[in-house]
Amino acid sequence: MPITNTASDTSSLVHAAIDVHEPGQTPGKVGALLTTIEFQLNPKEVTIAKSAKWESKNQKKAASAPPATYQGPDPQKMSVEMYFDETRQRDGSVVKNVEALFEACTPTSASKDGNKPSAPWVKFKWGVLTGFVGYIKSVSAKYTLFSPDGKPLRAVCTVALEELANEPKKQNPTSGGLQPRHAHTLREGDSLAAIAYREYGDPSHWRTLAEVNGIDDPLRLRPGHIVLIPTLEELSQTDGRETVRREVVRARLH
């Protein structure tokens, strides 16, 4: 017995799409929707990759590989192909679709007006894969069919997307004491970069953590040592960092 598509089968088909948004004001939260670039044909494959940074320090006398220190995760990456076909349209062309993807790699007008140029943030939507929030890192377009007058009628676009960080862990409000700011007791294998990513969502803050805690060599952390974790507001202010430094010194004296 032949298999045919029923009305319910057709209604269950979900087309993949990329929503293009203004950059958000907070990590992981997009701004206003600018446009939606729909897939004419759902992709055959979607490649998703995730990796982490590890750092090892060579030791001349070591008999085996040196221990590695976790530096935090790299952004998740996604790669997908988009197919465009306008052969059924009388004066069709796929250039508009391709240019929409290219445009998503350039700063939005609103971000330029606000003196913070940024390309749009995007959301990939397709079934259970919905929820990827990031930006388009690169677009490669290959035109595969042209009309007699040279209009591109078919194109295959390879789109590479990269994840944006989610909302970092919220800090306790400051009140001038050691405990409300949150303190971390170092364990074997800890690194300042990993702590910075866990607390702020950004491993690059390890330098400020080292500075305010008086840590001269971040690669030689002592288990049991207490690291004071400033708030994000204090990290961005010279006075805030100086206040934390004084508290670290006072805590060690006692």
Side-chain angles (χ1 to χ4, degrees):
M1 182 177 179
I3 299 176
T4 58
N5 285 331
T6 64
S8 59
D9 294 329
T10 304
S11 64
S12 65
L13 178 63
V14 177
H15 280 284
I18 295 176
D19 283 344
V20 182
H21 294 260
E22 285 287 354
Q25 299 298 316
T26 56
K29 295 183 179 179
V30 297
L33 179 65
L34 297 175
T35 187
T36 296
I37 305 173
E38 295 185 348
F39 286 64
Q40 288 185 338
L41 294 174
N42 282 335
K44 294 180 179 179
E45 298 177 336
V46 177
T47 302
I48 300 175
K50 184 71 175 179
S51 60
K53 290 189 181 76
W54 290 81
E55 184 178 79
S56 59
K57 192 173 183 180
N58 292 332
Q59 299 175 358
K60 294 181 180 179
K61 297 182 180 180
S64 60
T69 304
Y70 181 64
Q71 300 294 312
D74 285 325
Q76 183 170 282
K77 297 176 176 63
M78 176 183 290
S79 179
V80 64
E81 287 188 338
M82 300 185 74
Y83 301 88
F84 299 112
D85 186 325
E86 293 295 334
T87 55
R88 295 185 179 182
Q89 303 298 323
R90 183 174 180 180
D91 295 316
S93 171
V94 295
V95 170
K96 183 178 180 181
N97 305 80
V98 175
E99 288 185 344
L101 289 170
F102 287 163
E103 186 71 20
C105 296
T106 61
T108 66
S109 298
S111 69
K112 289 189 291 186
D113 292 343
N115 293 322
K116 291 184 179 180
S118 172
W121 292 8
V122 300
K123 277 186 176 182
F124 177 80
K125 302 190 305 181
W126 190 31
V128 297
L129 296 179
T130 297
F132 184 98
V133 177
Y135 58 93
I136 296 178
K137 190 169 185 178
S138 66
V139 177
S140 175
K142 181 179 180 180
Y143 296 109
T144 60
L145 183 66
F146 296 84
S147 67
D149 60 353
K151 290 181 181 177
L153 299 178
R154 286 179 185 161
V156 180
C157 295
T158 302
V159 184
L161 303 99
E162 193 156 306
E163 174 191 33
L164 284 163
N166 290 324
E167 186 72 33
K169 183 178 178 181
K170 293 183 179 179
Q171 301 298 300
N172 293 325
T174 60
S175 60
L178 180 65
Q179 186 62 31
R181 279 197 179 89
H182 180 48
H184 175 77
T185 302
L186 293 172
R187 299 185 296 271
E188 193 71 36
D190 269 345
S191 71
L192 292 183
I195 295 171
Y197 181 81
R198 184 172 64 245
E199 299 293 336
Y200 310 118
D202 185 352
S204 67
H205 286 315
W206 72 265
R207 293 181 177 84
T208 309
L209 283 179
E211 176 190 352
V212 300
N213 284 278
I215 298 174
D216 297 325
D217 189 352
L219 296 178
R220 296 177 179 271
L221 300 178
R222 291 182 299 158
H225 185 81
I226 295 177
V227 174
L228 188 64
I229 310 295
T231 64
L232 279 172
E233 183 179 2
E234 288 172 319
L235 282 180
S236 63
Q237 298 175 355
T238 303
D239 291 345
R241 294 195 297 271
E242 184 59 36
T243 298
V244 178
R245 278 195 292 266
R246 288 197 297 267
E247 290 194 7
V248 169
V249 172
R250 188 162 56 245
R252 289 176 180 172
L253 290 176
H254 290 82

